[in-house]
Amino acid sequence: MSKITLIPGDGIGPEVTESVLKVIAASKVNINWETINAGEDVYKSTGSFITDELLNSISTNKIAFKGPITTPIGKGFKSINVTLRQKFTTYANVRPVKSIPGVKTPFNNVDLVIIRENTEDLYAGIEHFVTDGVAESIKVITEKASLKIGEYAFQYAKKHNHKKVTAVHKANIMKISDGLFLDCIRNVAAKYPEIEYEEVIVDNMCMQLVMHPERYDVLVLPNLYGDIVSDLAAGLVGGLGLVPGANIGDDIAIFEAVHGSAPKLAGKNIANPTACILSASMLLDYIGEIDSAEKIRKAVYSTIKEGVYITKDLGGTATTEEFTNAICTYLKNNY
Ligand code: NAD
């Protein structure tokens, strides 16, 4: 039985991770969850936002499932999400964005995978005031991390039979930093002649995605553009409640939805747990429970397509719990 660290998070985190536990139990995969939280509440009781107990648990188990965690804006502590990604060098943030039948959007043919560099760029956290009224943030791009994310993107494309990789950048303005990123991706692309390669400037990419999302396949981006384009892409398929993700390192992986803690929805039993449930399916793929991962995806898609139990973000009235129970019922009835 796999032992996996579970970080419920805060805001809607505990509600949507509860859905994950129920759905995985209904799929009959046995997981020994080691639940250890992080964040402001943990700080109040322990004096640390991330305890040694949590770090040791992730180091030992090598796999974690994480609910969203709130980060204060413009002040306070450093993002726990970013800290964990950097601490465990989960360098590839993989976010499949796919149209789901039954979800009403202007597009029904989106099938993208966003591969975001996850350890550096403006997320390096090097910021200071140069003098009163002048602040500086340092954008760090290294050859090592750029080659690594490029290699990951092309390997991913090859393994999953994708035809094209698009590198997204702003090297026309940030000629040195984004220029280095682009040079590295180009060097990797040259090793994969069977996969089409193209480069698109990030602002144009945003317009192209909202007009012709079907033209794109795998996108590889530095950290910040990857973050922004992920939310934009989520909007193409029905919103953040639907898009899963994984932070992949050489030997450690942390699975989490793209969305944050959605404080306005917290405690109301109305958040859509789909993104977290699909992130859990990615976790099951990762541990080799491929059949169960596929069954869960089918159960989620069928429940949404059926349209009886649909959460508020998709125009329905079902609670998080009712939607989750419908997925579990589908699993029980069909497998
Ligand atoms: P958010 O993703 O929490 O919410 C953005 C919008 O999407 C809101 O309208 C919200 O209601 C909606 N939404 C998000 N998840 C949803 C779901 N499951 N079902 C239905 N609707 C959903 O982003 P935000 O408001 O910018 O950030 C809130 C907090 O979350 C901030 O503190 C931010 O730092 C944090 N955050 C954490 C993570 C993470 O833990 N990985 C990621 C992003 C943001």
Side-chain angles (χ1 to χ4, degrees):
M1 192 195 309
S2 305
K3 191 169 180 189
I4 293 175
T5 307
L6 178 75
I7 309 164
D10 57 30
I12 60 170
E15 296 161 67
V16 287
T17 46
E18 183 59 31
S19 296
V20 165
L21 297 187
K22 277 191 188 173
V23 170
I24 294 218
S27 79
K28 303 199 182 85
V29 176
N30 281 322
I31 290 178
N32 178 5
W33 296 105
E34 187 167 47
T35 305
I36 306 172
N37 216 350
E40 198 148 26
D41 286 348
V42 173
Y43 176 77
K44 284 179 194 151
S45 59
T46 67
S48 307
F49 292 101
I50 304 176
T51 58
D52 286 345
E53 188 193 11
L54 175 58
L55 297 178
N56 291 336
S57 169
I58 299 175
S59 299
T60 308
N61 297 334
K62 313 258 182 244
I63 304 174
F65 185 88
K66 188 187 146 296
I69 300 178
T70 305
T71 308
I73 294 172
K75 59 181 169 55
F77 58 90
K78 181 180 169 179
S79 162
I80 287 155
N81 314 304
V82 174
T83 304
L84 289 174
R85 291 169 193 164
Q86 290 173 345
K87 171 98 191 150
F88 293 107
T89 324
T90 52
Y91 62 90
N93 190 187
V94 182
R95 296 172 154 183
V97 185
K98 214 174 156 138
S99 297
I100 299 180
V103 177
K104 290 184 198 75
T105 69
F107 307 103
N108 57 13
N109 50 359
V110 180
D111 191 2
L112 293 171
V113 182
I114 290 172
I115 302 204
R116 164 192 178 194
E117 201 291 321
N118 218 10
T119 60
E120 54 181 27
D121 193 354
L122 281 159
Y123 289 71
I126 309 168
E127 272 200 311
H128 45 252
F129 278 101
V130 179
T131 182
D132 276 356
V134 183
E136 202 173 62
S137 284
I138 311 259
K139 172 169 167 130
V140 178
I141 299 286
T142 65
E143 184 180 70
K144 187 176 171 198
S146 304
L147 285 173
K148 204 156 175 154
I149 199 66
E151 196 62 54
Y152 187 91
F154 278 89
Q155 280 291 336
Y156 185 99
K158 197 171 162 180
K159 183 169 171 202
H160 298 276
N161 213 14
H162 291 279
K163 306 280 176 256
K164 181 166 83 170
V165 172
T166 305
V168 183
H169 66 95
K170 190 78 184 172
N172 50 330
I173 303 298
M174 279 158 281
K175 295 175 194 298
I176 295 180
S177 53
D178 279 18
L180 174 60
F181 177 81
L182 213 47
D183 276 348
C184 292
I185 308 294
R186 265 178 212 163
N187 286 341
V188 176
K191 297 196 292 175
Y192 296 85
E194 72 281 16
I195 297 171
E196 187 188 339
Y197 172 65
E198 66 174 4
E199 296 165 356
V200 179
I201 295 174
V202 63
D203 35 354
N204 181 24
M205 185 80 241
C206 292
M207 184 199 71
Q208 295 297 338
L209 281 175
V210 297
M211 294 187 75
H212 308 291
E214 74 288 351
R215 289 186 186 165
Y216 298 94
D217 195 353
V218 172
L219 307 182
V220 60
L221 316 89
N223 207 338
L224 181 63
Y225 311 147
D227 190 17
I228 296 168
V229 170
S230 293
D231 277 35
L232 184 151
L236 301 173
V237 297
L240 280 164
L242 299 172
V243 181
N247 303 291
I248 306 285
D250 284 333
D251 64 345
I252 289 185
I254 303 175
F255 294 81
E256 63 177 338
V258 171
H259 66 70
S261 57
K264 286 189 186 149
L265 310 184
K268 295 183 178 161
N269 194 19
I270 55 172
N272 188 342
T274 299
C276 274
I277 295 169
L278 295 178
S279 305
S281 296
M282 292 173 79
L283 184 156
L284 295 184
D285 282 332
Y286 184 85
I287 62 171
E289 295 280 0
I290 294 173
D291 285 352
S292 298
E294 197 47 35
K295 283 176 192 164
I296 290 175
R297 281 190 278 268
K298 276 198 184 134
V300 170
Y301 295 148
S302 299
T303 305
I304 292 175
K305 196 171 176 192
E306 204 177 60
V308 179
Y309 295 100
I310 296 292
T311 47
K312 201 173 167 210
D313 55 317
L314 302 183
T317 54
T319 62
T320 308
E321 208 175 348
E322 286 165 343
F323 176 68
T324 306
N325 290 344
I327 294 167
C328 294
T329 304
Y330 182 97
L331 285 167
K332 278 176 202 142
N333 291 345
N334 289 279
Y335 300 111

Short mmCIF file of all heavy atoms in Angstrom, two decimals, residues 10 12 16 66-73 79 81 85 95 227 231 239-242 256-265 270-275 311 313, ligand 1:
data_model
loop_
_atom_site.label_atom_id
_atom_site.label_comp_id
_atom_site.label_asym_id
_atom_site.label_seq_id
_atom_site.Cartn_x
_atom_site.Cartn_y
_atom_site.Cartn_z
N ASP A 10 -5.95 25.20 3.13
CA ASP A 10 -6.95 26.03 3.83
C ASP A 10 -7.94 26.58 2.81
O ASP A 10 -7.91 26.19 1.64
CB ASP A 10 -6.26 27.12 4.66
CG ASP A 10 -5.36 28.01 3.81
OD1 ASP A 10 -5.66 28.20 2.62
OD2 ASP A 10 -4.35 28.51 4.34
N ILE A 12 -10.92 26.57 0.61
CA ILE A 12 -11.71 25.41 0.16
C ILE A 12 -10.90 24.11 0.22
O ILE A 12 -11.44 23.03 -0.05
CB ILE A 12 -12.24 25.60 -1.29
CG1 ILE A 12 -11.08 25.79 -2.28
CG2 ILE A 12 -13.24 26.73 -1.36
CD1 ILE A 12 -11.51 25.74 -3.75
N VAL A 16 -12.28 20.21 -0.65
CA VAL A 16 -11.99 19.51 -1.92
C VAL A 16 -11.05 18.31 -1.71
O VAL A 16 -11.14 17.33 -2.44
CB VAL A 16 -11.50 20.48 -3.03
CG1 VAL A 16 -12.65 21.32 -3.55
CG2 VAL A 16 -10.36 21.36 -2.59
N LYS A 66 -1.68 17.82 -2.32
CA LYS A 66 -1.79 19.09 -1.59
C LYS A 66 -3.04 19.87 -1.97
O LYS A 66 -3.31 20.08 -3.15
CB LYS A 66 -0.53 19.91 -1.91
CG LYS A 66 -0.40 21.15 -1.11
CD LYS A 66 0.77 21.99 -1.62
CE LYS A 66 0.42 23.42 -1.45
NZ LYS A 66 -0.71 23.91 -2.22
N GLY A 67 -3.80 20.30 -0.98
CA GLY A 67 -4.90 21.25 -1.22
C GLY A 67 -4.29 22.64 -1.33
O GLY A 67 -3.14 22.86 -0.96
N PRO A 68 -5.08 23.63 -1.80
CA PRO A 68 -4.54 24.98 -1.94
C PRO A 68 -4.27 25.64 -0.59
O PRO A 68 -4.93 25.33 0.40
CB PRO A 68 -5.67 25.72 -2.67
CG PRO A 68 -6.90 24.94 -2.37
CD PRO A 68 -6.49 23.52 -2.22
N ILE A 69 -3.29 26.52 -0.58
CA ILE A 69 -2.95 27.24 0.65
C ILE A 69 -2.88 28.74 0.36
O ILE A 69 -2.26 29.17 -0.63
CB ILE A 69 -1.59 26.75 1.22
CG1 ILE A 69 -1.67 25.24 1.53
CG2 ILE A 69 -1.20 27.54 2.46
CD1 ILE A 69 -0.38 24.64 2.04
N THR A 70 -3.52 29.52 1.22
CA THR A 70 -3.56 30.98 1.05
C THR A 70 -2.18 31.61 1.27
O THR A 70 -1.46 31.20 2.17
CB THR A 70 -4.54 31.57 2.10
OG1 THR A 70 -5.80 30.91 1.95
CG2 THR A 70 -4.71 33.07 1.94
N THR A 71 -1.85 32.59 0.41
CA THR A 71 -0.63 33.39 0.61
C THR A 71 -1.04 34.85 0.72
O THR A 71 -1.72 35.37 -0.17
CB THR A 71 0.31 33.25 -0.62
OG1 THR A 71 0.53 31.87 -0.89
CG2 THR A 71 1.64 33.93 -0.36
N PRO A 72 -0.66 35.53 1.81
CA PRO A 72 -1.06 36.94 1.95
C PRO A 72 -0.50 37.79 0.80
O PRO A 72 0.60 37.53 0.31
CB PRO A 72 -0.44 37.38 3.28
CG PRO A 72 0.20 36.20 3.88
CD PRO A 72 0.20 35.08 2.90
N ILE A 73 -1.27 38.80 0.39
CA ILE A 73 -0.86 39.64 -0.75
C ILE A 73 -0.09 40.87 -0.26
O ILE A 73 -0.55 41.58 0.64
CB ILE A 73 -2.10 40.07 -1.57
CG1 ILE A 73 -2.72 38.84 -2.21
CG2 ILE A 73 -1.73 41.11 -2.65
CD1 ILE A 73 -4.03 39.07 -2.89
N SER A 79 5.13 32.41 -0.05
CA SER A 79 4.18 31.36 -0.45
C SER A 79 4.68 29.97 -0.06
O SER A 79 5.81 29.58 -0.37
CB SER A 79 3.98 31.42 -1.97
OG SER A 79 3.42 30.20 -2.42
N ASN A 81 3.34 27.28 -1.16
CA ASN A 81 3.30 26.49 -2.39
C ASN A 81 4.64 26.58 -3.12
O ASN A 81 5.23 25.59 -3.52
CB ASN A 81 2.17 27.00 -3.30
CG ASN A 81 0.90 27.20 -2.50
OD1 ASN A 81 0.43 26.25 -1.87
ND2 ASN A 81 0.37 28.40 -2.47
N ARG A 85 7.71 23.72 -3.72
CA ARG A 85 8.19 23.38 -5.08
C ARG A 85 9.70 23.57 -5.16
O ARG A 85 10.40 22.77 -5.78
CB ARG A 85 7.50 24.28 -6.11
CG ARG A 85 6.02 23.98 -6.26
CD ARG A 85 5.33 25.07 -7.09
NE ARG A 85 3.89 24.96 -6.97
CZ ARG A 85 3.04 25.92 -7.31
NH1 ARG A 85 3.49 27.07 -7.78
NH2 ARG A 85 1.76 25.75 -7.18
N ARG A 95 0.22 20.75 -16.30
CA ARG A 95 -1.19 21.11 -16.15
C ARG A 95 -1.98 20.80 -17.43
O ARG A 95 -1.99 21.61 -18.36
CB ARG A 95 -1.29 22.60 -15.81
CG ARG A 95 -0.63 22.91 -14.47
CD ARG A 95 -0.52 24.37 -14.18
NE ARG A 95 -0.49 24.63 -12.75
CZ ARG A 95 -0.45 25.83 -12.19
NH1 ARG A 95 -0.43 26.90 -12.94
NH2 ARG A 95 -0.44 25.95 -10.89
N ASP A 227 2.27 30.42 -15.01
CA ASP A 227 1.22 30.65 -14.01
C ASP A 227 0.06 31.40 -14.63
O ASP A 227 -1.11 31.01 -14.51
CB ASP A 227 1.85 31.46 -12.85
CG ASP A 227 0.92 31.55 -11.66
OD1 ASP A 227 -0.02 30.75 -11.57
OD2 ASP A 227 1.16 32.42 -10.80
N ASP A 231 -4.11 30.01 -15.84
CA ASP A 231 -5.44 30.50 -15.46
C ASP A 231 -6.22 30.91 -16.70
O ASP A 231 -7.43 30.66 -16.78
CB ASP A 231 -5.33 31.69 -14.48
CG ASP A 231 -5.13 31.23 -13.04
OD1 ASP A 231 -4.46 30.20 -12.83
OD2 ASP A 231 -5.63 31.89 -12.11
N GLY A 239 -13.24 27.04 -16.29
CA GLY A 239 -12.81 27.66 -15.04
C GLY A 239 -11.84 26.84 -14.22
O GLY A 239 -11.53 25.68 -14.53
N LEU A 240 -11.38 27.48 -13.15
CA LEU A 240 -10.33 26.88 -12.33
C LEU A 240 -10.79 25.65 -11.56
O LEU A 240 -9.97 24.84 -11.13
CB LEU A 240 -9.80 27.93 -11.34
CG LEU A 240 -8.80 28.91 -11.94
CD1 LEU A 240 -8.64 30.13 -11.05
CD2 LEU A 240 -7.46 28.23 -12.17
N GLY A 241 -12.08 25.50 -11.41
CA GLY A 241 -12.58 24.32 -10.70
C GLY A 241 -12.32 23.01 -11.44
O GLY A 241 -12.55 21.92 -10.90
N LEU A 242 -11.80 23.12 -12.68
CA LEU A 242 -11.70 21.92 -13.52
C LEU A 242 -10.28 21.48 -13.87
O LEU A 242 -10.10 20.40 -14.43
CB LEU A 242 -12.45 22.17 -14.85
CG LEU A 242 -13.95 22.46 -14.71
CD1 LEU A 242 -14.52 22.89 -16.05
CD2 LEU A 242 -14.68 21.24 -14.20
N GLU A 256 -1.41 18.83 -7.11
CA GLU A 256 -2.34 19.86 -6.62
C GLU A 256 -3.04 20.49 -7.82
O GLU A 256 -2.50 20.55 -8.92
CB GLU A 256 -1.60 20.94 -5.81
CG GLU A 256 -0.57 21.71 -6.61
CD GLU A 256 0.11 22.82 -5.82
OE1 GLU A 256 -0.44 23.29 -4.83
OE2 GLU A 256 1.22 23.22 -6.23
N ALA A 257 -4.27 20.99 -7.57
CA ALA A 257 -5.02 21.67 -8.62
C ALA A 257 -4.32 22.98 -8.98
O ALA A 257 -3.48 23.47 -8.22
CB ALA A 257 -6.43 21.95 -8.12
N VAL A 258 -4.71 23.55 -10.12
CA VAL A 258 -4.17 24.86 -10.50
C VAL A 258 -4.72 25.95 -9.56
O VAL A 258 -4.03 26.91 -9.23
CB VAL A 258 -4.55 25.19 -11.97
CG1 VAL A 258 -4.19 26.62 -12.33
CG2 VAL A 258 -3.86 24.20 -12.92
N HIS A 259 -5.97 25.77 -9.11
CA HIS A 259 -6.62 26.85 -8.37
C HIS A 259 -6.04 27.07 -6.98
O HIS A 259 -5.34 26.23 -6.42
CB HIS A 259 -8.14 26.62 -8.29
CG HIS A 259 -8.57 25.43 -7.48
ND1 HIS A 259 -8.45 25.37 -6.11
CD2 HIS A 259 -9.13 24.26 -7.86
CE1 HIS A 259 -8.94 24.22 -5.69
NE2 HIS A 259 -9.35 23.51 -6.73
N GLY A 260 -6.42 28.23 -6.42
CA GLY A 260 -6.01 28.57 -5.07
C GLY A 260 -7.09 28.25 -4.06
O GLY A 260 -7.98 27.42 -4.32
N SER A 261 -7.03 28.95 -2.92
CA SER A 261 -7.88 28.59 -1.78
C SER A 261 -9.28 29.19 -1.85
O SER A 261 -10.10 28.96 -0.96
CB SER A 261 -7.20 29.02 -0.48
OG SER A 261 -6.93 30.41 -0.54
N ALA A 262 -9.56 29.98 -2.90
CA ALA A 262 -10.90 30.56 -3.14
C ALA A 262 -11.60 30.95 -1.84
O ALA A 262 -12.66 30.41 -1.52
CB ALA A 262 -11.75 29.58 -3.97
N PRO A 263 -11.06 31.92 -1.10
CA PRO A 263 -11.58 32.21 0.24
C PRO A 263 -13.08 32.50 0.28
O PRO A 263 -13.76 32.13 1.25
CB PRO A 263 -10.79 33.44 0.69
CG PRO A 263 -9.64 33.57 -0.26
CD PRO A 263 -9.93 32.77 -1.49
N LYS A 264 -13.61 33.10 -0.80
CA LYS A 264 -15.05 33.45 -0.76
C LYS A 264 -15.95 32.21 -0.78
O LYS A 264 -17.11 32.28 -0.41
CB LYS A 264 -15.39 34.35 -1.95
CG LYS A 264 -14.87 35.77 -1.79
CD LYS A 264 -15.40 36.67 -2.87
CE LYS A 264 -14.74 38.04 -2.74
NZ LYS A 264 -14.59 38.72 -4.01
N LEU A 265 -15.41 31.09 -1.26
CA LEU A 265 -16.23 29.87 -1.33
C LEU A 265 -16.03 28.97 -0.10
O LEU A 265 -16.77 28.02 0.11
CB LEU A 265 -15.87 29.05 -2.58
CG LEU A 265 -15.83 29.75 -3.93
CD1 LEU A 265 -15.56 28.74 -5.06
CD2 LEU A 265 -17.15 30.47 -4.20
N ILE A 270 -19.61 24.52 -1.67
CA ILE A 270 -20.04 24.79 -3.05
C ILE A 270 -18.88 24.74 -4.05
O ILE A 270 -19.10 24.87 -5.25
CB ILE A 270 -20.76 26.17 -3.20
CG1 ILE A 270 -19.86 27.31 -2.67
CG2 ILE A 270 -22.10 26.16 -2.51
CD1 ILE A 270 -20.42 28.70 -2.96
N ALA A 271 -17.63 24.56 -3.57
CA ALA A 271 -16.49 24.54 -4.50
C ALA A 271 -16.58 23.30 -5.39
O ALA A 271 -17.12 22.27 -4.98
CB ALA A 271 -15.19 24.51 -3.72
N ASN A 272 -16.03 23.44 -6.58
CA ASN A 272 -15.98 22.30 -7.49
C ASN A 272 -14.72 21.48 -7.19
O ASN A 272 -13.61 21.99 -7.35
CB ASN A 272 -15.94 22.83 -8.94
CG ASN A 272 -16.10 21.72 -9.95
OD1 ASN A 272 -15.92 20.55 -9.62
ND2 ASN A 272 -16.44 22.07 -11.18
N PRO A 273 -14.86 20.22 -6.79
CA PRO A 273 -13.68 19.42 -6.45
C PRO A 273 -13.04 18.75 -7.67
O PRO A 273 -12.07 18.01 -7.53
CB PRO A 273 -14.24 18.36 -5.50
CG PRO A 273 -15.65 18.16 -5.99
CD PRO A 273 -16.12 19.47 -6.56
N THR A 274 -13.58 18.98 -8.89
CA THR A 274 -13.09 18.28 -10.09
C THR A 274 -11.58 18.43 -10.27
O THR A 274 -10.87 17.45 -10.52
CB THR A 274 -13.82 18.79 -11.35
OG1 THR A 274 -15.20 18.52 -11.20
CG2 THR A 274 -13.30 18.14 -12.62
N ALA A 275 -11.08 19.67 -10.13
CA ALA A 275 -9.64 19.90 -10.37
C ALA A 275 -8.80 19.05 -9.42
O ALA A 275 -7.78 18.48 -9.82
CB ALA A 275 -9.32 21.38 -10.18
N THR A 311 -21.90 21.54 -9.92
CA THR A 311 -21.65 22.61 -8.95
C THR A 311 -21.94 24.00 -9.55
O THR A 311 -22.08 24.15 -10.77
CB THR A 311 -20.19 22.53 -8.45
OG1 THR A 311 -19.33 22.38 -9.57
CG2 THR A 311 -19.99 21.41 -7.46
N ASP A 313 -20.26 26.74 -10.06
CA ASP A 313 -19.37 27.37 -11.06
C ASP A 313 -19.72 26.91 -12.47
O ASP A 313 -19.42 27.60 -13.44
CB ASP A 313 -17.90 27.04 -10.75
CG ASP A 313 -17.64 25.55 -10.67
OD1 ASP A 313 -18.46 24.84 -10.05
OD2 ASP A 313 -16.63 25.08 -11.22
P1 NAD B 1 -8.25 31.17 -6.68
O1 NAD B 1 -7.79 30.15 -7.63
O2 NAD B 1 -8.40 30.79 -5.26
O3 NAD B 1 -9.66 31.75 -7.18
C1 NAD B 1 -9.82 32.40 -8.45
C2 NAD B 1 -11.28 32.31 -8.88
O4 NAD B 1 -11.61 30.97 -9.22
C3 NAD B 1 -12.26 32.72 -7.77
O5 NAD B 1 -13.37 33.34 -8.39
C4 NAD B 1 -12.68 31.39 -7.18
O6 NAD B 1 -13.94 31.43 -6.56
C5 NAD B 1 -12.66 30.47 -8.40
N1 NAD B 1 -12.34 29.08 -8.01
C6 NAD B 1 -11.12 28.63 -7.66
N2 NAD B 1 -11.19 27.33 -7.36
C7 NAD B 1 -12.47 26.96 -7.53
C8 NAD B 1 -13.17 25.74 -7.35
N3 NAD B 1 -12.54 24.62 -6.96
N4 NAD B 1 -14.51 25.72 -7.59
C9 NAD B 1 -15.14 26.82 -8.01
N5 NAD B 1 -14.54 28.01 -8.20
C10 NAD B 1 -13.22 28.07 -7.95
O7 NAD B 1 -7.25 32.39 -6.86
P2 NAD B 1 -7.08 33.74 -6.00
O8 NAD B 1 -8.41 34.24 -5.54
O9 NAD B 1 -6.23 34.57 -6.84
O10 NAD B 1 -6.22 33.28 -4.75
C11 NAD B 1 -6.78 32.96 -3.46
C12 NAD B 1 -5.63 32.49 -2.57
O11 NAD B 1 -5.12 31.24 -3.04
C13 NAD B 1 -4.43 33.45 -2.53
O12 NAD B 1 -3.97 33.50 -1.21
C14 NAD B 1 -3.40 32.78 -3.41
O13 NAD B 1 -2.08 33.11 -3.04
C15 NAD B 1 -3.69 31.31 -3.15
N6 NAD B 1 -3.27 30.40 -4.24
C16 NAD B 1 -2.78 29.20 -3.84
C17 NAD B 1 -2.43 28.28 -4.80
C18 NAD B 1 -1.91 26.94 -4.34
O14 NAD B 1 -2.11 26.58 -3.19
N7 NAD B 1 -1.26 26.19 -5.20
C19 NAD B 1 -2.60 28.57 -6.17
C20 NAD B 1 -3.13 29.80 -6.52
C21 NAD B 1 -3.48 30.72 -5.55
#
